[in-house]
């Protein structure tokens, strides 16, 4: 079966519709109603626009139907709006002149013959078989409802004249603008001229009107001063107030007499202040001299240093040089400061005028400290050991800070000496073990001289070596004994003396 000679097109998109299509498959618009099929062999129906004058029509000929452009509903000639969706009906073409050829309705955007048809896919195409979506315009009023009339806000009542707003200080139309002329000072010696009051404008200001103005604070009777500030009021020359005596001289002391009295008072104050200042300076000088004298008499060691005495509390011990700061010959244990004790590792005791230190364990250092802190001093001691016994070393501890920070001068009974620094419990060798012929295996006299960071070592009055180290320059002093591979070394110290340099 071939196509129908009069195909039906969608009134919205122009898509060709089949006889079964109730809605356009392209845009979803309702398909237009199809006219009844003409009888077989009947001539084709020509669509003539409505109102065409003078045209002869057959009984089957009718005006071309009008469809809604939004939903596709067929509209009657009386419909101005679509009864389905409310869209305004399209304009109907005017009737052609008599004898004009019939108007052929061509769908919009008809493609060129032979070209592939343009497929327009509307947005939000519904699923095939689903009912068409009806587009309802927003806020569409109900069918038959009266239209909404928007009245402007604050609409005046009909018949009331409109309110006219006149700007403030609006001058009448006929008045001329007021010209403000700034005040000017009159020349010196010329009396001020009072300007006449402003005249109503009748076209222009009179030429003879001078713009002279009196300064605001100028008093009457005096010539105007062009340099006088507006806020300065000159002195009044009128009569004095009632009850006052003009030209009255104050009953006070004359200025010359007052000035002389004040001069003597000022000189007295200056002289007294000078005397007090001199007295204060003298007192300060006396105090300073006294302090320096006391400081010069005090040794360089700390105030906690012990007074130089003999072991039995007798007179101060003598020395070859410097003042004795401390001395103990160990004759009186009660007056001694080194103390006595014994445990499994060491023994400290006063025996027969000697201070005995015994080490009972191998590779152990023990010591006994003298009270007080010293610097820049000379330290001397004498000792004896048993010949042929275990190898060990006697020595002097100086600049002692605590048990982990001090210096140690050691002399062994096999003829060697050394100087070591214990800092933060870490040994640092300043002078390594060195052999010297002045060292005796049994009896020796040791001396250490301290001067700032300079350390000088002596054995039996012979200088061994000199070194420098600035780590500690002040501290406690003590006697020490060191055991090596064997235990049982005993050292008997005969005395200890500390002198200033």
């Amino acid at each position: 079966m071939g196509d129908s000679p009069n195909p039906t097109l969608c009134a919205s998109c122009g898509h060709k519709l089949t006889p079964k299509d109730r809605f356009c498959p392209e845009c979803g618009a309702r398909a237009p109603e199809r006219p009844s099929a003409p009888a077989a062999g009947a001539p084709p129906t020509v669509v003539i626009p409505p109102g065409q004058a003078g045209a002869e029509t057959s009984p089957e000929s009718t005006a071309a139907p009008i469809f809604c452009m939004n939903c596709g509903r067929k509209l009657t000639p009386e419909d101005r709006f679509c009864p389905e969706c409310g869209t305004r009906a399209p304009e109907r073409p005017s009737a052609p002149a008599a004898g004009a050829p019939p108007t052929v309705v061509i769908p919009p955007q008809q493609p060129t013959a032979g070209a592939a048809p343009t497929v327009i896919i509307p947005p939000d195409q519904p699923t095939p078989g689903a009912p068409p979506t009806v587009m309802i315009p927003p806020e569409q009023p109900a069918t038959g409802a009266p239209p909404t009339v928007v009245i402007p806000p604050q609409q005046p009542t009909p018949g009331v004249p409109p309110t006219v707003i006149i700007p403030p200080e609006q001058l009448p139309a006929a008045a001329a603008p007021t010209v403000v002329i700034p005040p000017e000072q009159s020349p010196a010696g010329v009396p001020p001229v009072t300007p006449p009051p402003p005249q109503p404008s009748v076209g222009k200001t009179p030429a003879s009107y001078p713009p002279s103005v009196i300064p605001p604070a100028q008093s009457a009777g005096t010539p105007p001063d062009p340099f006088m500030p507006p806020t300065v009021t000159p002195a009044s020359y009128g009569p004095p107030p009632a009850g006052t005596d003009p030209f009255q001289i104050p009953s006070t002391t004359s200025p010359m007499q007052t000035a002389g009295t004040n001069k003597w008072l000022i000189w007295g104050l200056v002289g007294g202040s000078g005397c007090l200042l001199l007295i204060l300076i003298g007192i300060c000088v006396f105090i300073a001299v006294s302090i320096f004298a006391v400081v010069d008499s005090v040794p360089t060691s700390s105030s906690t240093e012990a007074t130089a005495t003999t072991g039995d509390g007798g007179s101060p011990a003598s020395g070859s040089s410097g003042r004795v700061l401390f001395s103990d010959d160990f004759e009186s244990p009660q007056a001694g400061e080194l103390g006595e004790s014994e445990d499994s590792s060491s023994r400290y005791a006063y025996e027969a005028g000697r201070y005995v230190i015994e080490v009972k364990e191998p590779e152990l250092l023990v010591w006994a400290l003298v009270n007080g802190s010293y610097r820049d001093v000379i330290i001397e001691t004498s000792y004896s050991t048993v010949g042929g016994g275990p190898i060990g070393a006697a020595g002097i501890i100086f600049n002692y800070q605590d048990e982990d920070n001090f210096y140690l001068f050691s002399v062994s009974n096999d003829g060697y000496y050394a100087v070591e620094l214990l800092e933060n419990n870490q040994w640092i060798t300043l002078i390594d073990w060195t052999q010297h012929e002045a060292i005796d295996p049994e009896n020796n006299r040791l001396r250490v001289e301290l001067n700032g960071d300079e350390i000088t070592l002596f054995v039996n009055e012979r200088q061994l070596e000199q070194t420098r180290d600035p780590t500690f320059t002040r501290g406690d002093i003590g006697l020490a004994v060191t055991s090596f591979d064997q235990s049982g070394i005993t050292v008997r110290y005969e005395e200890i003396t500390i002198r200033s340099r």
Side-chain angles (χ1 to χ4, degrees), residues 178-182:
T178 302
V179 180
V180 180
I181 301 176

Side-chain angles (χ1 to χ4, degrees), residues 194-467:
T194 304
Q199 300 295 329
S201 176
V202 294
K204 64 179 181 178
T205 303
S208 60
Y209 173 63
S212 300
V213 181
I214 299 176
Q218 190 69 30
S219 62
T222 58
D225 187 358
F227 301 102
M228 182 180 296
T231 57
V232 176
T233 303
S236 174
Y237 297 98
T244 59
D245 188 6
F247 309 107
Q248 182 178 2
I249 300 176
S251 58
T252 57
T253 305
S254 64
M256 296 297 294
Q257 182 178 358
T258 304
T261 304
N262 292 340
K263 182 186 297 184
W264 285 110
L265 179 61
I266 292 173
W267 279 111
L269 292 176
V270 172
S273 302
C275 293
L276 292 177
L277 182 60
L278 292 176
I279 294 173
L280 181 61
I281 292 175
I283 294 174
C284 293
V285 171
F286 176 77
I287 294 175
V289 171
S290 302
I291 292 175
F292 280 113
V294 173
V295 171
D296 185 61
S297 64
V298 176
T300 56
S301 59
S302 172
S303 60
T304 60
E305 297 170 355
T307 304
T309 60
T310 59
D312 56 359
S315 60
S318 62
S320 58
S321 64
R323 192 168 65 89
V324 176
L325 304 177
F326 176 84
S327 179
D328 192 350
D329 58 6
F330 308 128
E331 292 292 340
S332 176
Q334 293 77 14
E337 296 183 1
L338 299 182
E340 296 180 291
S341 65
E342 183 177 2
D343 55 22
S344 60
S345 62
S346 61
R347 182 174 68 92
Y348 306 87
Y350 288 92
E351 294 180 356
R354 303 288 187 269
Y355 188 73
V356 180
I357 300 179
E358 179 184 359
V359 183
K360 300 179 181 180
E361 295 182 358
E363 298 183 355
L364 183 64
L365 169 66
V366 297
W367 64 84
L369 298 175
V370 175
N371 291 334
S373 178
Y374 300 86
R375 66 175 299 169
D376 297 339
V377 294
I378 299 173
I379 311 164
E380 293 181 290
T381 185
S382 300
Y383 70 91
S384 63
T385 60
V386 178
I391 302 299
I396 297 175
I397 284 181
F398 56 94
N399 291 341
Y400 179 94
Q401 310 298 312
D402 52 45
E403 61 181 7
D404 295 329
N405 296 275
F406 56 83
Y407 292 91
L408 173 63
F409 170 43
S410 301
V411 177
S412 66
N413 54 5
D414 59 350
Y416 290 83
Y417 71 93
V419 176
E420 298 170 290
L421 166 65
L422 182 64
E423 184 179 9
N424 297 327
N425 201 25
Q426 298 293 325
W427 285 105
I428 301 173
T429 301
L430 302 181
I431 299 177
D432 204 356
W433 289 100
T434 305
Q435 190 175 16
H436 200 281
E437 60 183 8
I439 300 175
D440 186 80
E442 296 183 3
N443 299 284
N444 291 288
R445 181 170 181 78
L446 310 181
R447 184 165 88 241
V448 178
E449 295 185 0
L450 304 177
N451 185 15
D453 62 348
E454 183 181 270
I455 304 171
T456 307
L457 310 175
F458 297 84
V459 171
N460 298 327
E461 306 303 330
R462 293 182 62 180
Q463 181 174 338
L464 301 178
E465 197 167 343
Q466 188 179 74
T467 186

